[in-house]
Amino acid sequence: MYDHYSFEEATAYQIELAKQLKFQSPGKIQTIAGADISFNKNSTTMYAGIVILSYPEMVLKSFALETFETNFPYKAGFLGFKEVPALLKVWELIPNKPDVVVLDGNGILHPRRMGVASHFGILANQSTIGCAKSLLHGKNHQPENVRLSTAEIKNNTGEMLGFALRTKINCAPVYISAGHLITQEESLHVIKTSVRNYRIPEPTRLAHNLVNDFRLGKIKAGFHEVAPSLTLF
């Protein structure tokens, strides 16, 4: 999908995509998805997965898995070009779309406001949130060492791009930003509600575990519904 893009062309495309960003309430959220990618080093095969959970209960309802081949390299600021095509392929397998999707990466907390969550959100026309494990862009004060404490992240002009969120005491924060079709405040609230006993919120934590098992051959590709009595991960 993007293998023929140069980084200059990818940059121009991000700037154009960013003009389509919208930040508005998605309405009542009853289902939430987590999306993630796994891969073997130096391989062109992406193992992509999306899990769907009830919200706010965080009960796993279904998941979808698929592979995708790409030669686009990993480079900071261009994650969407590597991962979004694979995630869109998985997205097509899901019959009933979730109300919001959390992606392991940034939303508008990005030099061109086009992290993987924003990129996916625009192409899927879907409410998305970025939840990254490291800070790519912007400046912030570290949140207090208190569970669910936050600190705003701003750029050099003072624009608020997202939040650092301390999900566990004595643990590094995660970085939250709106992707598309959701507000910054709602993005933060949704992620806070999705946190349980781990640093990573449940949607992306479960997606991460799932795609690793998929890459290791423990689960087959396709769409899978989860029986109420079945507990995974």
Side-chain angles (χ1 to χ4, degrees):
M1 183 173 178
Y2 295 123
D3 285 358
H4 65 287
Y5 276 49
S6 67
F7 287 121
E8 291 76 18
E9 291 170 327
T11 296
Y13 184 59
Q14 287 179 331
I15 293 170
E16 286 303 309
L17 279 182
K19 296 175 182 178
Q20 302 178 41
L21 288 170
K22 295 180 181 179
F23 304 104
Q24 61 197 47
S25 174
K28 186 176 181 180
I29 299 173
Q30 295 180 302
T31 54
I32 185 169
D36 200 11
I37 295 284
S38 183
F39 62 97
N40 293 311
K41 188 176 181 180
N42 300 323
S43 172
T44 60
T45 303
M46 311 296 291
Y47 295 84
I50 296 176
V51 300
I52 300 176
L53 303 89
S54 62
Y55 180 90
E57 299 85 4
M58 296 294 115
V59 175
L60 183 64
K61 297 295 187 182
S62 60
F63 59 90
L65 300 163
E66 191 54 272
T67 59
F68 186 84
E69 296 294 324
T70 179
N71 289 300
F72 196 92
Y74 266 109
K75 184 177 179 179
F78 297 92
L79 186 64
F81 294 89
K82 185 78 171 178
E83 297 191 352
V84 165
L87 293 172
L88 288 173
K89 190 175 179 183
V90 177
W91 187 248
E92 293 175 358
L93 300 176
I94 300 171
N96 297 308
K97 308 304 186 193
D99 297 317
V100 64
V101 181
V102 183
L103 290 95
D104 180 23
N106 291 290
I108 66 165
L109 184 54
H110 181 278
R112 293 169 293 282
R113 297 167 65 89
M114 194 46 54
V116 64
S118 296
H119 195 146
F120 177 85
I122 288 174
L123 296 190
N125 191 31
Q126 173 67 37
S127 296
T128 56
I129 302 169
C131 181
K133 296 187 286 289
S134 57
L135 186 61
L136 171 71
H137 178 66
K139 300 178 180 179
N140 79 295
H141 299 286
Q142 287 289 310
E144 294 181 34
N145 193 22
V146 177
R147 186 177 185 273
L148 300 185
S149 62
T150 62
E152 291 186 355
I153 303 172
K154 299 181 179 181
N155 63 14
N156 292 330
T157 64
E159 179 188 8
M160 205 277 285
L161 297 178
F163 300 92
L165 171 65
R166 185 89 63 187
T167 53
K168 289 187 70 175
I169 296 173
N170 299 327
C171 197
V174 293
Y175 302 95
I176 312 304
S177 57
H180 183 53
L181 297 176
I182 194 169
T183 66
Q184 293 280 39
E185 292 73 20
E186 283 180 295
S187 298
L188 179 62
H189 174 73
V190 167
I191 297 300
K192 281 185 173 183
T193 304
S194 303
V195 171
R196 293 297 184 264
N197 299 320
Y198 300 88
R199 177 191 175 216
I200 306 303
E202 290 300 280
T204 46
R205 186 185 75 84
L206 294 179
H208 173 81
N209 291 345
L210 184 80
V211 293
N212 280 335
D213 281 350
F214 178 41
R215 177 174 55 84
L216 295 172
K218 297 179 181 180
I219 311 173
K220 294 182 179 180
F223 178 76
H224 307 260
E225 298 213 44
V226 177
S229 60
L230 182 63
T231 301
L232 296 177
F233 321 119

